[in-house]
Amino acid sequence: ERPDAAVRWYNMLNRQIPAHNVAAKDGAFVLAIVQRSEPYITDAQDALTELAIQSFNPMVPAPIQARTVLIFGLFEALGLDMPPEALNEVQRLVSTEYQGRSPAPVIMQRVDRAALDGRRGELALGVLEALGPRGASDLAPHVIVRFVRALRTADMTESAQALASEAILTWQGG
């Protein structure tokens, strides 16, 4: 019932948001990641293009740039379609370290190795250890993207989707 209510609110509000207001289009990104249905992915495409253009602007505040990293990174990590302008920006943005909680390097290395070796149990435990009781809400965006990529690499698609959904809904900017 909650996702349906969110969809109804988004549809109502979306008609009132100017097309160029990308920050207000955050609902399109959320629904594209959580619902993974075509109308919301299509809505998000236009906003992703606009966001890619804005990401070049050095005057973009750090919290908005970090949210951009999370959005672009999650779209790419989940294998969702992205416009070329956005796809070209993913590596540049995700390779930068942003403010937020980052697990110890040894945990990150363990997660990466487990994903590449297909050791799903070890991968799941490593991600859970890194998330801790606070979940994804205060993790650095590049860390969240790295975890979602690792889960997909190990063919843990449902877990990757669940983490991406939690992150896009709860992330507070590190």
Side-chain angles (χ1 to χ4, degrees), residues 2-4 6-7 26-38 40-41 44 67 74-75 78 80 158 160-170:
R2 283 186 171 183
D4 292 339
V7 168
D26 197 59
F29 303 130
V30 171
L31 287 170
I33 289 170
V34 174
Q35 292 282 60
R36 292 192 64 148
S37 63
E38 192 51 45
Y40 305 110
I41 293 172
R67 180 74 175 180
L74 291 177
F75 265 74
L78 291 171
L80 296 174
E158 287 182 25
Q161 178 63 45
L163 177 56
S165 294
E166 177 190 343
I168 198 74
L169 291 168
T170 66

Side-chain angles (χ1 to χ4, degrees), residues 109-170:
Q109 291 167 358
R110 187 174 347 134
V111 164
D112 290 341
R113 278 195 314 271
L116 292 174
D117 295 343
R119 295 190 316 260
R120 296 168 55 156
E122 186 177 338
L123 171 59
L125 290 174
V127 170
L128 287 173
E129 180 182 358
L131 289 172
R134 293 180 285 194
S137 66
D138 66 340
L139 279 176
H142 62 280
V143 170
I144 297 167
V145 170
R146 193 164 159 185
F147 287 159
V148 172
R149 283 179 177 165
L151 291 165
R152 277 206 63 220
T153 297
D155 200 29
M156 297 176 71
T157 308
E158 287 182 25
S159 297
Q161 178 63 45
L163 177 56
S165 294
E166 177 190 343
I168 198 74
L169 291 168
T170 66

Side-chain angles (χ1 to χ4, degrees), residues 16 20 28 116:
Q16 300 170 12
H20 66 278
L116 292 174

Side-chain angles (χ1 to χ4, degrees), residues 17-80:
I17 298 171
H20 66 278
N21 189 339
V22 176
K25 293 282 189 181
D26 197 59
F29 303 130
V30 171
L31 287 170
I33 289 170
V34 174
Q35 292 282 60
R36 292 192 64 148
S37 63
E38 192 51 45
Y40 305 110
I41 293 172
T42 301
D43 283 353
Q45 299 300 311
D46 296 333
L48 282 169
T49 300
E50 189 77 23
L51 200 55
I53 293 166
Q54 288 181 8
S55 72
F56 283 111
N57 185 345
M59 302 304 288
V60 173
I64 292 175
Q65 194 166 36
R67 180 74 175 180
T68 301
V69 169
L70 183 64
I71 291 166
F72 281 18
L74 291 177
F75 265 74
E76 184 269 338
L78 291 171
L80 296 174

